[in-house]
Short mmCIF file of all heavy atoms in Angstrom, two decimals:
data_model
loop_
_atom_site.label_atom_id
_atom_site.label_comp_id
_atom_site.label_asym_id
_atom_site.label_seq_id
_atom_site.Cartn_x
_atom_site.Cartn_y
_atom_site.Cartn_z
N CYS A 1 13.44 6.21 -1.10
CA CYS A 1 13.08 7.14 -0.04
C CYS A 1 11.61 6.90 0.35
O CYS A 1 10.89 6.13 -0.34
CB CYS A 1 13.28 8.60 -0.49
SG CYS A 1 12.25 9.07 -1.89
N ALA A 2 11.16 7.53 1.41
CA ALA A 2 9.77 7.44 1.80
C ALA A 2 8.90 8.19 0.79
O ALA A 2 9.38 9.03 0.02
CB ALA A 2 9.57 7.96 3.20
N LEU A 3 7.61 7.92 0.82
CA LEU A 3 6.71 8.59 -0.11
C LEU A 3 6.66 10.10 0.04
O LEU A 3 6.40 10.81 -0.92
CB LEU A 3 5.29 7.98 0.04
CG LEU A 3 5.11 6.55 -0.43
CD1 LEU A 3 3.71 6.06 -0.10
CD2 LEU A 3 5.35 6.43 -1.93
N ALA A 4 6.89 10.58 1.24
CA ALA A 4 6.82 12.00 1.49
C ALA A 4 8.06 12.75 1.00
O ALA A 4 8.12 13.97 1.05
CB ALA A 4 6.60 12.28 2.98
N GLU A 5 9.08 12.01 0.56
CA GLU A 5 10.32 12.62 0.12
C GLU A 5 10.41 12.49 -1.42
O GLU A 5 9.58 11.92 -2.05
CB GLU A 5 11.51 11.91 0.79
CG GLU A 5 11.42 11.95 2.31
CD GLU A 5 12.46 11.07 2.97
OE1 GLU A 5 13.23 10.38 2.24
OE2 GLU A 5 12.47 11.00 4.22
N ASN A 6 11.51 13.05 -1.98
CA ASN A 6 11.68 12.97 -3.43
C ASN A 6 13.14 12.79 -3.82
O ASN A 6 13.60 13.31 -4.82
CB ASN A 6 11.09 14.22 -4.12
CG ASN A 6 11.73 15.49 -3.64
OD1 ASN A 6 12.66 15.48 -2.81
ND2 ASN A 6 11.25 16.62 -4.15
N SER A 7 13.87 12.05 -2.96
CA SER A 7 15.31 11.86 -3.21
C SER A 7 15.61 10.52 -3.83
O SER A 7 16.77 10.08 -3.84
CB SER A 7 16.06 11.98 -1.88
OG SER A 7 15.58 11.07 -0.91
N GLY A 8 14.64 9.84 -4.38
CA GLY A 8 14.85 8.55 -5.01
C GLY A 8 13.53 7.92 -5.38
O GLY A 8 12.48 8.58 -5.40
N VAL A 9 13.57 6.62 -5.69
CA VAL A 9 12.35 5.88 -5.94
C VAL A 9 11.54 5.86 -4.65
O VAL A 9 12.08 5.52 -3.58
CB VAL A 9 12.65 4.43 -6.41
CG1 VAL A 9 11.38 3.61 -6.49
CG2 VAL A 9 13.37 4.49 -7.77
N ARG A 10 10.27 6.20 -4.71
CA ARG A 10 9.47 6.42 -3.49
C ARG A 10 8.68 5.16 -3.13
O ARG A 10 7.98 4.62 -4.00
CB ARG A 10 8.56 7.63 -3.70
CG ARG A 10 9.38 8.89 -3.95
CD ARG A 10 8.58 9.95 -4.63
NE ARG A 10 7.53 10.48 -3.81
CZ ARG A 10 6.61 11.37 -4.24
NH1 ARG A 10 6.65 11.79 -5.50
NH2 ARG A 10 5.69 11.83 -3.41
N VAL A 11 8.81 4.70 -1.90
CA VAL A 11 8.23 3.42 -1.47
C VAL A 11 7.40 3.65 -0.21
O VAL A 11 7.85 4.33 0.71
CB VAL A 11 9.32 2.38 -1.22
CG1 VAL A 11 8.71 0.98 -1.04
CG2 VAL A 11 10.37 2.36 -2.33
N GLY A 12 6.21 3.05 -0.17
CA GLY A 12 5.38 3.17 1.03
C GLY A 12 4.18 2.24 1.00
O GLY A 12 4.00 1.49 0.05
N THR A 13 3.39 2.32 2.03
CA THR A 13 2.19 1.47 2.12
C THR A 13 1.10 1.96 1.16
O THR A 13 1.10 3.11 0.70
CB THR A 13 1.64 1.46 3.54
OG1 THR A 13 1.16 2.79 3.87
CG2 THR A 13 2.68 1.00 4.54
N MET A 14 0.15 1.06 0.90
CA MET A 14 -0.98 1.45 0.05
C MET A 14 -1.75 2.61 0.65
O MET A 14 -2.20 3.49 -0.07
CB MET A 14 -1.90 0.25 -0.14
CG MET A 14 -1.30 -0.89 -0.93
SD MET A 14 -2.49 -2.25 -1.13
CE MET A 14 -1.48 -3.43 -2.04
N HIS A 15 -1.89 2.61 1.99
CA HIS A 15 -2.57 3.73 2.63
C HIS A 15 -1.85 5.05 2.34
O HIS A 15 -2.49 6.06 2.08
CB HIS A 15 -2.62 3.51 4.15
CG HIS A 15 -3.68 2.59 4.60
ND1 HIS A 15 -3.48 1.24 4.74
CD2 HIS A 15 -4.97 2.82 4.97
CE1 HIS A 15 -4.61 0.67 5.16
NE2 HIS A 15 -5.54 1.60 5.30
N SER A 16 -0.51 5.03 2.38
CA SER A 16 0.25 6.26 2.21
C SER A 16 0.29 6.74 0.76
O SER A 16 0.70 7.86 0.50
CB SER A 16 1.67 6.07 2.74
OG SER A 16 1.65 5.74 4.10
N MET A 17 -0.12 5.91 -0.18
CA MET A 17 -0.13 6.31 -1.59
C MET A 17 -1.30 7.27 -1.88
O MET A 17 -1.34 7.88 -2.95
CB MET A 17 -0.28 5.08 -2.49
CG MET A 17 0.90 4.14 -2.49
SD MET A 17 2.30 4.77 -3.46
CE MET A 17 1.76 4.34 -5.13
N LYS A 18 -2.21 7.39 -0.94
CA LYS A 18 -3.41 8.18 -1.12
C LYS A 18 -3.09 9.59 -1.59
O LYS A 18 -2.29 10.30 -1.00
CB LYS A 18 -4.16 8.27 0.21
CG LYS A 18 -5.62 8.53 0.06
CD LYS A 18 -6.32 7.31 -0.47
CE LYS A 18 -7.81 7.54 -0.56
NZ LYS A 18 -8.13 8.59 -1.53
N GLY A 19 -3.68 10.00 -2.69
CA GLY A 19 -3.56 11.36 -3.17
C GLY A 19 -2.29 11.64 -3.95
O GLY A 19 -2.12 12.75 -4.49
N LEU A 20 -1.36 10.66 -4.03
CA LEU A 20 -0.09 10.87 -4.76
C LEU A 20 -0.24 10.43 -6.21
O LEU A 20 -1.22 9.80 -6.59
CB LEU A 20 1.04 10.10 -4.08
CG LEU A 20 1.25 10.44 -2.60
CD1 LEU A 20 2.41 9.61 -2.04
CD2 LEU A 20 1.54 11.92 -2.41
N GLU A 21 0.75 10.75 -7.01
CA GLU A 21 0.70 10.38 -8.44
C GLU A 21 2.10 10.19 -8.96
O GLU A 21 3.05 10.87 -8.57
CB GLU A 21 -0.04 11.45 -9.27
CG GLU A 21 0.43 12.85 -8.99
CD GLU A 21 -0.58 13.90 -9.37
OE1 GLU A 21 -1.76 13.59 -9.48
OE2 GLU A 21 -0.14 15.03 -9.58
N PHE A 22 2.24 9.22 -9.87
CA PHE A 22 3.56 8.82 -10.37
C PHE A 22 3.43 8.48 -11.86
O PHE A 22 2.34 8.11 -12.33
CB PHE A 22 4.09 7.60 -9.63
CG PHE A 22 4.17 7.78 -8.14
CD1 PHE A 22 3.11 7.44 -7.34
CD2 PHE A 22 5.34 8.27 -7.56
CE1 PHE A 22 3.16 7.63 -5.96
CE2 PHE A 22 5.42 8.43 -6.18
CZ PHE A 22 4.33 8.11 -5.39
N ARG A 23 4.52 8.54 -12.57
CA ARG A 23 4.52 8.07 -13.94
C ARG A 23 4.42 6.55 -13.96
O ARG A 23 3.70 5.98 -14.76
CB ARG A 23 5.77 8.53 -14.68
CG ARG A 23 5.78 9.99 -15.07
CD ARG A 23 6.99 10.33 -15.92
NE ARG A 23 6.99 9.55 -17.15
CZ ARG A 23 8.03 9.41 -17.96
NH1 ARG A 23 9.17 10.02 -17.65
NH2 ARG A 23 7.92 8.69 -19.07
N CYS A 24 5.16 5.90 -13.09
CA CYS A 24 5.20 4.43 -13.06
C CYS A 24 4.96 3.94 -11.63
O CYS A 24 5.51 4.52 -10.69
CB CYS A 24 6.53 3.90 -13.57
SG CYS A 24 6.97 4.45 -15.23
N VAL A 25 4.16 2.89 -11.49
CA VAL A 25 3.83 2.37 -10.16
C VAL A 25 4.00 0.84 -10.18
O VAL A 25 3.55 0.18 -11.14
CB VAL A 25 2.40 2.73 -9.74
CG1 VAL A 25 1.96 1.93 -8.51
CG2 VAL A 25 2.31 4.23 -9.45
N ALA A 26 4.62 0.29 -9.14
CA ALA A 26 4.66 -1.14 -8.91
C ALA A 26 3.96 -1.43 -7.59
O ALA A 26 4.30 -0.84 -6.56
CB ALA A 26 6.11 -1.63 -8.86
N VAL A 27 2.97 -2.30 -7.61
CA VAL A 27 2.24 -2.71 -6.43
C VAL A 27 2.65 -4.16 -6.18
O VAL A 27 2.39 -5.06 -7.00
CB VAL A 27 0.72 -2.60 -6.59
CG1 VAL A 27 0.03 -2.90 -5.27
CG2 VAL A 27 0.34 -1.20 -7.08
N VAL A 28 3.31 -4.41 -5.05
CA VAL A 28 3.92 -5.72 -4.82
C VAL A 28 3.22 -6.48 -3.69
O VAL A 28 2.45 -5.89 -2.90
CB VAL A 28 5.41 -5.57 -4.48
CG1 VAL A 28 6.14 -4.95 -5.64
CG2 VAL A 28 5.61 -4.73 -3.23
N SER A 29 3.46 -7.79 -3.64
CA SER A 29 2.94 -8.68 -2.59
C SER A 29 1.41 -8.68 -2.57
O SER A 29 0.79 -8.69 -1.50
CB SER A 29 3.49 -8.30 -1.22
OG SER A 29 4.89 -8.36 -1.21
N VAL A 30 0.81 -8.70 -3.77
CA VAL A 30 -0.65 -8.69 -3.87
C VAL A 30 -1.13 -10.16 -3.93
O VAL A 30 -1.84 -10.56 -4.86
CB VAL A 30 -1.14 -7.88 -5.08
CG1 VAL A 30 -2.66 -7.68 -4.97
CG2 VAL A 30 -0.47 -6.50 -5.12
N GLY A 31 -0.69 -10.93 -2.98
CA GLY A 31 -1.13 -12.33 -2.89
C GLY A 31 -2.18 -12.51 -1.84
O GLY A 31 -2.45 -11.64 -1.01
N ALA A 32 -2.78 -13.69 -1.85
CA ALA A 32 -3.87 -13.98 -0.89
C ALA A 32 -3.37 -13.92 0.54
O ALA A 32 -4.15 -13.67 1.47
CB ALA A 32 -4.43 -15.36 -1.20
N GLU A 33 -2.07 -14.14 0.75
CA GLU A 33 -1.51 -14.11 2.10
C GLU A 33 -1.58 -12.69 2.71
O GLU A 33 -1.70 -12.54 3.92
CB GLU A 33 -0.07 -14.58 2.07
CG GLU A 33 0.63 -14.58 3.43
CD GLU A 33 2.07 -14.96 3.33
OE1 GLU A 33 2.55 -15.30 2.21
OE2 GLU A 33 2.77 -14.95 4.37
N HIS A 34 -1.50 -11.67 1.85
CA HIS A 34 -1.39 -10.31 2.36
C HIS A 34 -2.60 -9.43 2.05
O HIS A 34 -2.80 -8.40 2.70
CB HIS A 34 -0.15 -9.63 1.77
CG HIS A 34 1.12 -10.39 2.04
ND1 HIS A 34 1.62 -10.57 3.31
CD2 HIS A 34 1.98 -11.00 1.20
CE1 HIS A 34 2.75 -11.27 3.25
NE2 HIS A 34 2.99 -11.54 1.99
N LEU A 35 -3.42 -9.80 1.07
CA LEU A 35 -4.54 -8.95 0.67
C LEU A 35 -5.74 -9.82 0.33
O LEU A 35 -5.65 -10.64 -0.62
CB LEU A 35 -4.15 -8.10 -0.53
CG LEU A 35 -4.99 -6.84 -0.75
CD1 LEU A 35 -4.68 -5.85 0.34
CD2 LEU A 35 -4.75 -6.22 -2.10
N PRO A 36 -6.81 -9.76 1.11
CA PRO A 36 -7.04 -8.81 2.23
C PRO A 36 -6.18 -9.14 3.44
O PRO A 36 -5.85 -10.29 3.70
CB PRO A 36 -8.51 -8.99 2.53
CG PRO A 36 -8.81 -10.40 2.18
CD PRO A 36 -7.98 -10.68 0.94
N ASP A 37 -5.87 -8.08 4.19
CA ASP A 37 -5.16 -8.25 5.44
C ASP A 37 -6.19 -8.61 6.52
O ASP A 37 -6.96 -7.73 6.97
CB ASP A 37 -4.44 -6.94 5.80
CG ASP A 37 -3.57 -7.08 7.03
OD1 ASP A 37 -3.75 -8.05 7.80
OD2 ASP A 37 -2.71 -6.20 7.25
N LEU A 38 -6.23 -9.87 6.89
CA LEU A 38 -7.29 -10.36 7.77
C LEU A 38 -7.26 -9.72 9.15
O LEU A 38 -8.27 -9.75 9.85
CB LEU A 38 -7.22 -11.89 7.87
CG LEU A 38 -7.48 -12.64 6.54
CD1 LEU A 38 -7.41 -14.15 6.74
CD2 LEU A 38 -8.80 -12.24 5.94
N ALA A 39 -6.09 -9.18 9.53
CA ALA A 39 -6.03 -8.51 10.83
C ALA A 39 -6.91 -7.28 10.86
O ALA A 39 -7.25 -6.77 11.95
CB ALA A 39 -4.58 -8.14 11.16
N HIS A 40 -7.27 -6.76 9.69
CA HIS A 40 -8.11 -5.56 9.61
C HIS A 40 -9.51 -5.89 9.07
O HIS A 40 -10.23 -4.98 8.61
CB HIS A 40 -7.45 -4.52 8.71
CG HIS A 40 -6.16 -3.98 9.27
ND1 HIS A 40 -4.96 -4.59 9.09
CD2 HIS A 40 -5.94 -2.87 10.02
CE1 HIS A 40 -4.02 -3.88 9.69
NE2 HIS A 40 -4.59 -2.85 10.26
N VAL A 41 -9.89 -7.15 9.08
CA VAL A 41 -11.18 -7.57 8.60
C VAL A 41 -11.96 -8.27 9.70
O VAL A 41 -11.47 -9.21 10.32
CB VAL A 41 -11.05 -8.55 7.40
CG1 VAL A 41 -12.43 -9.04 6.95
CG2 VAL A 41 -10.33 -7.85 6.23
N THR A 42 -13.14 -7.75 10.02
CA THR A 42 -13.99 -8.35 11.04
C THR A 42 -14.39 -9.75 10.61
O THR A 42 -14.75 -9.98 9.44
CB THR A 42 -15.26 -7.49 11.24
OG1 THR A 42 -14.89 -6.16 11.59
CG2 THR A 42 -16.13 -8.08 12.34
N ASP A 43 -14.32 -10.72 11.53
CA ASP A 43 -14.71 -12.09 11.22
C ASP A 43 -16.18 -12.14 10.85
O ASP A 43 -17.01 -11.53 11.50
CB ASP A 43 -14.42 -13.00 12.40
CG ASP A 43 -14.54 -14.46 12.00
OD1 ASP A 43 -15.66 -14.99 12.01
OD2 ASP A 43 -13.51 -15.07 11.66
N ALA A 44 -16.51 -12.90 9.80
CA ALA A 44 -17.88 -12.96 9.34
C ALA A 44 -18.80 -13.54 10.40
O ALA A 44 -19.98 -13.16 10.45
CB ALA A 44 -17.97 -13.80 8.06
N SER A 45 -18.27 -14.42 11.27
CA SER A 45 -19.12 -15.02 12.30
C SER A 45 -19.46 -13.99 13.38
O SER A 45 -20.50 -14.13 14.04
CB SER A 45 -18.40 -16.20 12.96
OG SER A 45 -17.18 -15.80 13.60
N GLU A 46 -18.65 -12.97 13.52
CA GLU A 46 -18.93 -11.92 14.53
C GLU A 46 -19.90 -10.87 13.99
O GLU A 46 -20.82 -10.45 14.67
CB GLU A 46 -17.63 -11.24 14.96
CG GLU A 46 -17.84 -10.12 15.98
CD GLU A 46 -16.52 -9.48 16.41
OE1 GLU A 46 -15.45 -10.08 16.23
OE2 GLU A 46 -16.59 -8.35 16.95
#
């Protein structure tokens, strides 16, 4: 289910995890391809 629900394992973006708490957490796709997300990072040359 979504993070705002409680009808199953709760899945959402890192932003949406803010303020929540769980017994167990899996953070996935933490590879260089996805983090940092360059679309949200100002280019150093700029």
Side-chain angles (χ1 to χ4, degrees):
C1 63
L3 290 174
E5 303 169 0
N6 58 3
S7 56
V9 173
R10 299 159 68 185
V11 191
T13 64
M14 294 181 182
H15 280 90
S16 299
M17 293 284 280
K18 204 72 177 66
L20 304 179
E21 49 201 22
F22 304 89
R23 285 186 60 194
C24 303
V25 168
V27 186
V28 299
S29 301
V30 192
E33 179 184 358
H34 304 296
L35 202 69
D37 186 343
L38 296 181
H40 294 85
V41 177
T42 303
D43 191 275
S45 62
E46 179 179 341

